[in-house]
Amino acid sequence: MKRIFILLLVFSGFCLFSVTAFAGNGDIDKFNDEFSFEEMISGIDSDTLEILSSMGITDLSYESVFGVTPAKVFDSFLDIFWGSFKEPLKYFFSVTGVMAIMALLTNLSRSPETVTLIGSSCVACLLAVPVVSLITRSFSVLESISVFTSSFAGVFCAVVSASGGVIQGTSFLGLNIALNSVMSVILSEFSKPLSNCMCALSFLSCFNIKTFSERMSDLFKKFYIFILGLLTTVFSGLSAIKTILGGSADTVAVKGVKFLVGRSLPIVGGIVSESYQSVLASLGLIKNTVGVFGILTVVIIVFPILTELFIWCLSFNFISTTSEIFGCFKIENLILVFKDVIILLIATICFSALLFIISCGFMLVFKNG
Amino acid sequence: MTVTKLAVFALVSLIFLVIIKKHSPSISVVSEVAVVVIFIIGILPDLKALLESLRSIGDSFVSSDVFKIMFKAFGVLTVGGVASDICRDNGENALAGVLEIVVKVIAISCAIPIFTAVLTTALALLEQ
């Protein structure tokens, strides 16, 4: 009787004083307000959002990002690739037509220099519009990258800090702010004036300033790419050092919290410290999702313009070969300088995108805790 | 006109011009100009056909304004070149030289819109 009474007492104690605890189904919408995901997505331009949705990435959820298949990616990229071919091909045929007529008239004419001068000016006039448009669009893409990375850095810092990487998160934010400042200075003081200057010099090559513009453009291109390479190496090294050391410090902090909670709370200390670990792991999943989304977005922002620039570079290679066949050496010089400008733009866009991808990648690869 | 006919006509004209020059230099100048005009009229249909075929091929790739400017400049240079050669044949080198300069200026002025567009674009890029 006594034993039955004690059993009943213990059972009623369990029923009255127990607390239900369970892991709920994590919904990304709950984190929208806390981490300002909508603010980050509003920093992305509409064309990029369209490409992201065509790949199946409609929101910032694990299922959406993980659901991207190679077929969807391939289809989207193929559409962009084929769309970029039309204009360079059209201008290739136009310039070849002008060069063919120029070569014919130069051979028939009593004053071949005058015909060559007029023909070169016609080609320069033809190519002025697409080249200037390419430069303008490249710099607007660079601005889009800067706007997105600024809004992304704050959100990613918050997510990383919430997942236990406080020092890692703040170092990422600091590095990105520094990168954006450096990029804006490079673009406004160096890249844009340099590419505009080189284009203007190439137009002058129609009026027989060949040697000056060709050599100078080659020198500028080599110096600029060297500086960008140096900056990339320095920044990547700094990013790696800060991420590794920050990660180690955060690991110590997390383990310290777990030890403190486990020892200070009676009876449930161990359970609470393990549930803290589970919460960090789930926030780590959100961190990786957000990180991958950021990298994908930057890749999609730069892919269309990079494809177009590469195809234009290829087109200019064909035009310069054709000009050599027709003996139009002034046009060959003009095209070579335009090609150098395109290469500068490609280098600048790759530099900007790669630095962000590298710093984000380090954050995803180097785990804490 | 076939090449053979043109060659025969040119040689026969040359013989007549040399004979006329001995007796009357002033009439030989007029005769020379007449022979050149006959030549140009003779090849005019072929030249027209060539231009039309180039224009029909080129219209799909190149703007017709570019064609017009280049052919206009070519036409001006060719006509001016022939006239300056006639002047040189008759010993008027100074006149021929001046005519060549004037013709080049007129040919370049045909392309002034293009030069203006190129220079304006270059200056706009430098100002940015």
Side-chain angles (χ1 to χ4, degrees):
Chain A
M1 196 62 190
K2 206 179 176 183
R3 280 180 195 170
I4 294 167
F5 179 73
I6 291 166
L7 268 169
L8 277 170
L9 199 66
V10 167
F11 183 68
S12 58
F14 270 124
C15 292
L16 284 169
F17 298 109
S18 64
V19 173
T20 315
F22 61 94
N25 190 15
D27 195 356
I28 195 72
D29 290 336
K30 288 179 187 169
F31 296 100
N32 262 335
D33 293 326
E34 277 92 4
F35 295 127
S36 312
F37 287 154
E38 277 189 20
E39 205 179 290
M40 182 183 77
I41 291 169
S42 68
I44 307 171
D45 60 283
S46 54
D47 293 331
T48 310
L49 282 172
E50 212 179 294
I51 298 168
L52 280 169
S53 59
S54 73
M55 286 185 183
I57 304 173
T58 49
D59 58 19
L60 207 62
S61 65
Y62 168 78
E63 293 83 15
S64 182
V65 176
F66 192 71
V68 173
T69 59
K72 286 179 194 169
V73 172
F74 188 71
D75 284 338
S76 304
F77 283 4
L78 204 63
D79 285 336
I80 295 165
F81 187 70
W82 288 124
S84 309
F85 254 110
K86 287 175 200 163
E87 221 180 281
L89 207 63
K90 183 184 113 188
Y91 279 98
F92 167 68
F93 286 121
S94 300
V95 172
T96 307
V98 173
M99 283 197 295
I101 293 162
M102 196 176 111
L104 179 70
L105 296 180
T106 307
N107 284 321
L108 294 173
S109 171
R110 308 300 306 268
S111 305
E113 312 85 21
T114 315
V115 174
T116 310
L117 173 66
I118 294 170
S120 315
S121 309
C122 288
V123 169
C125 201
L126 262 176
L127 291 175
V129 170
V131 170
V132 171
S133 158
L134 265 178
I135 294 172
T136 313
R137 275 185 287 131
S138 301
F139 283 105
S140 82
V141 162
L142 286 163
E143 211 181 295
S144 302
I145 294 172
S146 171
V147 164
F148 173 70
T149 53
S150 308
S151 55
F152 178 84
V155 171
F156 195 53
C157 168
V159 173
V160 169
S161 303
S163 68
V166 177
I167 298 170
Q168 268 189 335
T170 44
S171 73
F172 176 82
L173 184 64
L175 274 171
N176 260 278
I177 290 169
L179 174 65
N180 275 331
S181 313
V182 165
M183 275 309 296
S184 72
V185 167
I186 289 173
L187 289 177
S188 59
E189 304 295 329
F190 207 48
S191 306
K192 202 165 183 180
L194 181 64
S195 45
N196 287 341
C197 220
M198 282 171 67
C199 255
L201 286 176
S202 74
F203 288 132
L204 294 176
S205 72
C206 305
F207 306 111
N208 223 10
I209 313 180
K210 175 186 183 288
T211 313
F212 173 73
S213 52
E214 191 185 342
R215 283 183 192 170
M216 287 299 283
S217 81
D218 199 41
L219 182 68
F220 285 148
K221 181 189 77 176
K222 285 178 181 167
F223 179 68
Y224 183 77
I225 290 173
F226 169 75
I227 295 292
L228 286 187
L230 192 65
L231 284 171
T232 309
T233 313
V234 166
F235 184 84
S236 305
L238 261 176
S239 190
I241 291 165
K242 283 185 175 285
T243 311
I244 293 167
L245 291 177
S248 307
D250 289 328
T251 305
V252 167
V254 164
K255 286 195 191 301
V257 166
K258 273 178 68 179
F259 176 78
L260 193 66
V261 165
R263 288 284 176 266
S264 58
L265 289 176
I267 304 167
V268 297
I271 297 167
V272 171
S273 73
E274 288 306 315
S275 65
Y276 171 65
Q277 187 71 31
S278 307
V279 166
L280 286 183
S282 67
L283 284 167
L285 179 64
I286 295 172
K287 175 196 98 174
N288 290 340
T289 308
V290 172
V292 166
F293 177 82
I295 291 171
L296 263 176
T297 306
V298 166
V299 167
I300 289 164
I301 289 172
V302 302
F303 185 78
I305 192 69
L306 274 182
T307 313
E308 208 175 331
L309 287 170
F310 273 119
I311 293 170
W312 270 106
C313 209
L314 205 66
S315 177
F316 282 146
N317 271 326
F318 284 132
I319 293 173
S320 75
T321 311
T322 316
S323 66
E324 231 178 306
I325 293 168
F326 285 122
C328 306
F329 299 111
K330 271 191 191 164
I331 294 174
E332 191 188 354
N333 181 66
L334 172 81
I335 300 301
L336 286 173
V337 177
F338 280 161
K339 201 180 86 168
D340 286 343
V341 171
I342 302 283
I343 290 170
L344 283 189
L345 293 172
I346 291 171
T348 313
I349 292 172
C350 286
F351 167 74
S352 180
L354 270 174
L355 286 185
F356 171 79
I357 290 168
I358 287 168
S359 64
C360 214
F362 281 147
M363 294 298 292
L364 298 178
V365 165
F366 293 116
K367 293 178 191 168
N368 56 284
Chain B
M1 281 175 98
T2 62
V3 172
T4 327
K5 279 183 192 171
L6 283 168
V8 165
F9 179 69
L11 290 169
V12 165
S13 310
L14 175 67
I15 294 164
F16 274 118
L17 284 170
V18 165
I19 295 166
I20 292 167
K21 206 169 187 176
K22 272 186 183 171
H23 293 97
S24 175
S26 52
I27 295 174
S28 80
V29 173
V30 176
S31 313
E32 197 176 348
V33 171
V35 165
V36 165
V37 167
I38 291 167
F39 253 106
I40 291 170
I41 291 168
I43 61 161
L44 215 52
D46 296 320
L47 193 63
K48 233 179 177 177
L50 174 68
L51 287 174
E52 279 306 318
S53 59
L54 280 174
R55 191 177 287 168
S56 65
I57 293 165
D59 265 346
S60 48
F61 301 123
V62 188
S63 154
S64 59
D65 296 332
V66 171
F67 263 117
K68 278 182 198 163
I69 289 168
M70 289 185 78
F71 283 111
K72 201 172 171 184
F74 171 71
V76 163
L77 288 166
T78 308
V79 166
V82 166
S84 76
D85 282 344
I86 293 172
C87 294
R88 280 212 173 83
D89 284 345
N90 293 282
E92 295 295 330
N93 288 324
L95 184 62
V98 166
L99 185 62
E100 274 175 358
I101 291 166
V102 166
V103 156
K104 279 184 185 172
V105 166
I106 294 169
I108 288 168
S109 67
C110 293
I112 285 284
I114 290 177
F115 294 145
T116 315
V118 169
L119 282 171
T120 312
T121 312
L123 287 170
L125 283 168
L126 286 170
E127 273 171 18
Q128 276 183 13

